[in-house]
Amino acid sequence: TALAAAKSAAEANTSAAANSAAQTALQAAVDGLKTIQPEEGVLYTVKNAYSGVYMNLNDIATATVWSGAALNEVFSFVPAENDGEFYMYNVKRGRYLSNNPGHGGGHIIFAADNTNDAVVVTIKNLGAENRVSITPAGGATIHHDAGQGVVVAWNGDKNSRSAWVVEEVANPAELVHTLTVSEAGYATLYLACDVVIPETVEAYIATEFDEEGNLELTQITGILPAKTAVIVKAAAESYTFAYSA
């Protein structure tokens, strides 16, 4: 409705006041657009709209969040207690975004191992080119700091490094972890994310020692759960383990 009114006012070349009113109504309509929220169980990349690089996590103990070009640094958005609020979970690293130990202007965003230490974020439409803001609870908008390449809490607008593009991963099967098995026919594997076990690969978890001191193994099939150490048995070759949402 606002777009039609603005179009009519422009075509009719009416008064400046009419054009101004139409423009104001149009901007109000844009500001009121409902942001399409992420879906549970779907994988996403989070790209900075200004710099064009992707948000990802380090895997060190007190990881900061930084921006790089690694397209396989994918996130899932885990619904929090209230509608429209999410935890951002990095699938590859198996960690959540957190604003501990501090939040507010200029503080670096951290990572957490569980939702107890994670931060809830909200996503708001910025009214331009699918750009959104991502705001941690109690903090300022997440912002790509160009100087250090880190992601910090900072307030910006749709034309700044505080604008992000959240895009669904079209083909999650293309996001894989590669494991090479030597001529010995065995390897070990431990990943922070869920992956699909290839059909020609056998994966075993160590369950217990028997009375003679032999380690008993139990085979698992289908999905290899995150943070599960396994012994892999397969012919000497490189295998791809696709990420699972």
Side-chain angles (χ1 to χ4, degrees), residues 204-219 231:
Y204 297 87
I205 58 173
T207 49
E208 60 181 352
F209 286 97
D210 63 18
E211 295 180 354
E212 298 179 355
N214 298 310
L215 183 61
E216 295 185 358
L217 303 177
T218 300
Q219 185 175 3
I231 294 175

Side-chain angles (χ1 to χ4, degrees), residues 18-106:
N19 276 293
S20 178
Q23 184 176 353
T24 300
L26 182 59
Q27 186 60 53
V30 170
D31 292 341
L33 287 174
K34 179 178 175 62
T35 304
I36 297 175
Q37 299 295 318
E39 297 181 36
E40 186 175 7
V42 178
L43 299 180
Y44 296 89
T45 56
V46 182
K47 181 175 67 175
N48 189 268
Y50 187 92
S51 62
V53 292
Y54 292 84
M55 187 187 301
N56 51 55
L57 294 181
N58 286 331
D59 56 0
I60 56 177
T62 55
T64 59
V65 183
W66 58 291
S67 288
L71 197 55
N72 65 339
E73 294 287 4
V74 293
F75 287 86
S76 64
F77 288 79
V78 180
E81 183 176 351
N82 299 319
D83 289 342
E85 295 183 345
F86 303 91
Y87 298 107
M88 289 182 64
Y89 178 74
N90 187 280
V91 175
K92 182 177 180 181
R93 305 300 185 187
R95 308 191 80 191
Y96 297 85
L97 254 63
S98 171
N99 62 353
N100 292 326
H103 60 75

Side-chain angles (χ1 to χ4, degrees), residues 216-237:
E216 295 185 358
L217 303 177
T218 300
Q219 185 175 3
I220 57 176
T221 58
I223 301 297
L224 172 59
K227 301 180 180 179
T228 302
V230 292
I231 294 175
V232 172
K233 180 181 179 182
E237 193 177 329

Side-chain angles (χ1 to χ4, degrees), residues 95-227:
R95 308 191 80 191
Y96 297 85
L97 254 63
S98 171
N99 62 353
N100 292 326
H103 60 75
H107 283 281
I108 293 174
I109 304 297
F110 287 83
D113 290 327
N114 52 64
T115 55
N116 293 332
D117 298 320
V119 65
V120 170
V121 301
T122 55
I123 298 174
K124 181 181 178 181
N125 171 45
L126 291 177
E129 303 178 51
N130 298 321
R131 298 183 180 191
V132 298
S133 62
I134 303 175
T135 306
T141 300
I142 293 179
H143 183 90
H144 172 208
D145 182 354
Q148 302 180 47
V150 297
V151 175
V152 299
W154 198 277
N155 286 320
D157 59 28
K158 64 186 179 183
N159 296 315
S160 76
R161 295 176 186 269
S162 290
W164 301 88
V165 179
V166 179
E167 297 177 315
E168 181 178 344
V169 175
N171 186 7
E174 293 180 351
L175 305 172
V176 299
H177 175 86
T178 302
L179 174 71
T180 299
V181 178
S182 71
E183 293 295 334
Y186 288 91
T188 57
L189 182 63
Y190 178 90
L191 297 173
C193 55
D194 294 350
V195 292
V196 180
I197 302 172
E199 292 184 0
T200 56
V201 170
E202 298 176 12
Y204 297 87
I205 58 173
T207 49
E208 60 181 352
F209 286 97
D210 63 18
E211 295 180 354
E212 298 179 355
N214 298 310
L215 183 61
E216 295 185 358
L217 303 177
T218 300
Q219 185 175 3
I220 57 176
T221 58
I223 301 297
L224 172 59
K227 301 180 180 179

